[in-house]
Amino acid sequence: MTNSATLNYRWSSRIVKNLYKYGVRDVCISPGSRNTPLSLAFIDYPNIKCISHIDERSGGFFGLGIALKKQSPVVLVCTSGTATANYLPSIIEANQSRVPLIILTADRPAYLQGTGANQTIYQNNIYGYHVRNFNDLGLPSDDKLVNIDLIISNTLKIAEGKNISGKPTSPKGPVHINIPFEEPLYFENRLKINNKQIKIKESRQYITPSLFVRKINFPRLKYPIIICGRLQSDSDRENIFNLSSALNAPIFADPLSQIRYGNTHSNLVSSYSHFLSLVTLTPDFIIRIGQKPVSKTLCAKLDEWDNFTFLIDESGRFNDDCSNVINSSVADFVKTVMTKSISSKLKWKEKIIDIDYKINNFISNNYMNYWFEGSIVKNCFDSLDNGDNFFIGNSMPIRDVDLFVFQSAKSIKTYSNRGASGIDGIVSSALGVAYGSENNSLLVLGDLSFYHDMNGLLAGLRYNINITIVIINNNGGGIFSFLPVSKENNKSFEEFWATSHSLKFDYVAKLYDCQYEIVNSNQTLKSALDKFNKLKGVKIIEAKIDRNENIRKHNEIKKSIQKLKV
């Protein structure tokens, strides 16, 4: 087991023991990956009552209620990103009402801030005036374990309105502790750990999100790749294609790049998430356009290829850690490239295109008839016409679109809330896209994302918005079943990560006067999509899926591709 996973858990356990020592008996935990060490430490501690809350806003107010009744501190625990922001309403109330809350927000390491790393925002002092005190613990370290004791002690005293000596000096109120963790986050044999000193690797230097410009000296390249991440429009499409043709470079096109769909260019590649871990590629020149891609596999490769990767952005660097940033528009950059003789080896591109073709065909011909989340997003895409809007929810839906909805000549505009990659507010964002649009709009999202923003449906009713919403209902947070912590496979995993809910969304549809159908097969889904695309208003399709079967199908596809000769 790697050192960071062990240290994360020991660090978290020390925090929990101190919280108990100073009077905490209740904790409200919302599901997430980054807060896994904290959640496990609370669950494993026998004397603190753990309460699961899918929605951080609801969890915050629930904890507030306990603290009001008991007049003693209650802990709130959440993952990083916008999850932290959803506590703000309850924190404001706790501040004004003088209620002691201890907010523990898990965080990415500081060096990932401003790099475009998924679900990473600046969380220090995020609650500003509304908390009595803020502390950032920094990354876990054995050298700082004693500091935790002091920080927790002082923090609890401040929450209860006392000074260091324990005398009342100010009103009770909320306090905030931010706790960064390195990956890996899960430690299977955590209850057997000893007190041996553990050293953890040095962190990378934090890159300030500022302008960094470097002139490029074009090499005699042989193995170039163009990587297109999220783009707001397709205005640079022809420039990108011209660049690709000039360099004989394949284009790895993200589903949010606005060029994966609506084009037939022969250099487009869309199955890279499947083959990058199987095939050894040795590029010598990477051109990046747009924000970081969805694919975690591709982002990991970009870290490896950073020295010879060039990000083209006329605004310079913003929320990105690419070492080489060209302060230029795509059009001007392409003009510069066109004046140079830097064509690559043709066989390099042909090899990658051939691999992409084989994997696309293999998956499309062998797996899209099965009922799983990959076929659901594919059917959703197939139901759209040229010019339609496709809004894709976070967690599994956007990843499944990346994995299973390959390049297509159909011209579809894609949207997703990938700035901080939260699951909150997705319904409202999609309704905003659909508002006033003459074309059909389709939103596909998970059941927890839908639950988070059900109130957003009212806008659809008030403004006669036309949209079809497909809820992939696997009765909880399906993405967590792909994480190592799913090995727990017990009541705690279901309660605090998967967060099964058994909600009946037909009642929600009735409340907001939405048309509704429930489906459980590709055929019934296609039929419902075809029917609702011809109707006006807000329509809801609930696609029931077995979470465990979905995981098995994903794993089966992965193993089958590993056996292909690519």
Side-chain angles (χ1 to χ4, degrees):
M1 172 52 60
T2 58
N3 289 343
S4 60
T6 309
L7 189 53
N8 287 339
Y9 182 74
R10 294 176 62 234
W11 186 254
S12 300
S13 296
R14 186 73 166 247
I15 293 170
V16 171
K17 288 177 182 178
N18 272 283
L19 288 168
Y20 179 80
K21 177 181 177 181
Y22 292 106
V24 168
R25 296 296 181 269
D26 300 276
V27 56
C28 296
I29 303 173
S30 290
S33 174
R34 191 61 52 164
N35 58 327
T36 291
L38 280 170
S39 298
L40 288 172
F42 275 110
I43 293 166
D44 291 340
Y45 199 78
N47 299 315
I48 294 180
K49 186 174 182 180
C50 299
I51 308 153
S52 173
H53 285 276
I54 297 173
D55 180 350
E56 287 81 11
R57 187 172 69 165
S58 174
F61 279 107
F62 191 93
L64 177 74
I66 297 175
L68 276 171
K69 181 178 180 180
K70 293 188 174 183
Q71 285 298 300
S72 61
V74 173
V75 172
L76 309 179
V77 175
C78 73
T79 191
S80 63
T82 59
T84 64
N86 284 294
Y87 280 146
L88 183 57
S90 59
I91 290 170
I92 291 173
E93 177 61 27
N95 177 36
Q96 300 291 81
S97 297
R98 306 184 180 191
V99 178
L101 289 179
I102 316 297
I103 302 96
L104 305 183
T105 57
D107 199 358
R108 263 65 171 170
Y111 66 76
L112 290 179
Q113 292 166 8
T115 69
N118 187 48
Q119 207 170 314
T120 302
I121 66 172
Y122 188 74
Q123 296 180 190
N124 286 11
N125 288 304
I126 192 171
Y127 305 122
Y129 168 82
H130 303 289
V131 293
R132 301 283 186 270
N133 188 60
F134 167 77
N135 262 294
D136 183 275
L137 296 187
L139 288 171
S141 166
D142 278 313
D143 297 334
K144 297 190 294 184
L145 281 173
V146 175
N147 290 345
I148 290 181
D149 302 349
L150 183 61
I151 289 172
I152 298 299
S153 172
N154 290 342
T155 298
L156 266 292
K157 288 175 183 176
I158 293 170
E160 294 183 317
K162 301 175 182 178
N163 62 16
I164 294 176
S165 301
K167 296 181 179 180
T169 57
S170 63
K172 295 180 180 181
V175 292
H176 176 206
I177 301 177
N178 194 57
I179 311 172
F181 291 110
E182 289 267 20
E183 290 184 328
L185 303 166
Y186 175 68
F187 183 24
E188 188 173 4
N189 297 317
R190 60 192 177 276
L191 299 181
K192 298 179 181 180
I193 61 177
N194 56 38
N195 293 320
K196 182 179 179 181
Q197 292 290 99
I198 295 175
K199 301 296 181 182
I200 195 164
K201 63 184 180 181
E202 292 295 322
S203 298
R204 291 184 294 170
Q205 184 178 4
Y206 169 58
I207 299 176
T208 304
S210 60
L211 183 65
F212 179 79
V213 180
R214 172 175 167 178
K215 290 185 178 180
I216 181 171
N217 294 316
F218 290 99
R220 294 182 61 83
L221 59 91
K222 296 180 180 179
Y223 311 113
I225 297 175
I226 298 170
I227 297 176
C228 289
R230 180 163 63 115
L231 292 166
Q232 299 300 329
S233 75
D234 62 358
S235 59
D236 283 314
R237 177 181 57 187
E238 292 306 316
N239 288 317
I240 294 169
F241 290 158
N242 290 337
L243 180 65
S244 172
S245 298
L247 301 181
N248 285 323
I251 306 169
F252 288 15
D254 186 86
L256 301 173
S257 66
Q258 313 309 331
I259 65 169
R260 183 187 280 202
Y261 311 122
N263 305 290
T264 57
H265 199 281
S266 59
N267 289 354
L268 283 172
V269 174
S270 55
S271 67
Y272 44 80
S273 291
H274 294 286
F275 69 71
L276 278 176
S277 59
L278 305 176
V279 179
T280 301
L281 295 183
T282 55
D284 57 6
F285 188 59
I286 306 289
I287 297 173
R288 275 189 53 207
I289 299 169
Q291 294 174 281
K292 281 195 170 179
V294 167
S295 170
K296 188 174 183 178
T297 304
L298 181 53
C299 285
K301 286 295 181 182
L302 283 173
D303 287 340
E304 293 180 23
W305 301 333
D306 186 59
N307 285 341
F308 45 86
T309 297
F310 295 82
L311 172 64
I312 315 304
D313 193 320
E314 60 186 340
S315 299
R317 173 184 289 125
F318 175 76
N319 193 30
D320 207 296
D321 59 349
C322 185
S323 294
N324 309 298
V325 181
I326 308 300
N327 189 197
S328 169
S329 68
V330 174
D332 287 344
F333 175 77
V334 172
K335 288 177 184 177
T336 302
V337 174
M338 291 301 195
T339 64
K340 302 178 181 295
S341 299
I342 50 175
S343 181
S344 68
K345 290 188 174 182
L346 188 60
K347 288 185 178 180
W348 160 257
K349 181 194 72 175
E350 290 178 340
K351 172 188 175 183
I352 295 173
I353 296 296
D354 182 60
I355 293 171
D356 183 62
Y357 178 79
K358 287 179 179 178
I359 291 179
N360 288 1
N361 280 348
F362 176 76
I363 292 175
S364 298
N365 294 334
N366 293 282
Y367 288 101
M368 287 301 102
N369 288 327
Y370 290 97
W371 179 243
F372 77 115
E373 293 179 23
S375 62
I376 290 175
V377 297
K378 180 64 164 60
N379 283 322
C380 286
F381 178 86
D382 289 345
S383 73
L384 297 169
D385 292 326
N386 287 326
D388 285 351
N389 304 306
F390 190 25
F391 204 106
I392 309 159
N394 280 318
S395 287
M396 282 309 298
I398 187 62
R399 289 171 171 84
D400 280 327
V401 170
D402 184 49
L403 287 168
F404 301 112
V405 185
F406 305 121
Q407 65 256 41
S408 169
K410 189 186 295 184
S411 182
I412 302 298
K413 185 71 181 290
T414 54
Y415 303 85
S416 190
N417 286 350
R418 294 299 292 176
S421 303
I423 66 168
D424 40 356
I426 290 176
V427 172
S428 296
S429 296
L431 286 167
V433 167
Y435 179 69
S437 176
E438 295 180 359
N439 298 92
N440 282 331
S441 297
L442 189 147
L443 164 64
V444 57
L445 79 172
D447 47 320
L448 296 192
S449 295
F450 182 76
Y451 169 82
H452 260 274
D453 198 22
M454 290 187 295
N455 290 344
L457 291 172
L458 183 60
L461 181 64
R462 295 180 67 191
Y463 296 104
N464 300 314
I465 295 173
N466 179 35
I467 190 171
T468 299
I469 299 173
V470 176
I471 307 167
I472 301 177
N473 186 1
N474 52 34
N475 195 30
I479 193 170
F480 300 121
S481 297
F482 289 90
L483 298 177
V485 72
S486 64
K487 294 177 182 177
E488 297 286 295
N489 196 28
N490 55 23
K491 183 178 181 294
S492 291
F493 174 74
E494 281 297 315
E495 186 175 0
F496 294 99
W497 281 268
T499 52
S500 304
H501 51 77
S502 301
L503 293 173
K504 296 182 179 179
F505 292 122
D506 53 334
Y507 293 143
V508 179
K510 185 176 182 180
L511 174 64
Y512 290 101
D513 198 25
C514 302
Q515 299 174 80
Y516 168 88
E517 281 199 22
I518 188 168
V519 299
N520 57 11
S521 68
N522 287 317
Q523 190 55 47
T524 53
L525 173 60
K526 290 177 183 178
S527 177
L529 287 166
D530 182 63
K531 171 185 174 182
F532 283 168
N533 280 343
K534 298 172 184 176
L535 301 177
K536 297 297 182 182
V538 178
K539 295 88 59 176
I540 295 174
I541 299 173
E542 181 180 352
K544 297 282 284 187
I545 201 82
D546 182 273
R547 193 191 315 147
N548 292 326
E549 180 59 31
N550 179 62
I551 296 167
R552 283 193 291 270
K553 191 55 62 181
H554 275 81
N555 290 334
E556 179 186 332
I557 294 171
K558 184 177 181 179
K559 291 178 181 178
S560 297
I561 291 173
Q562 289 173 346
K563 296 176 182 178
L564 285 178
K565 294 181 179 180
V566 297

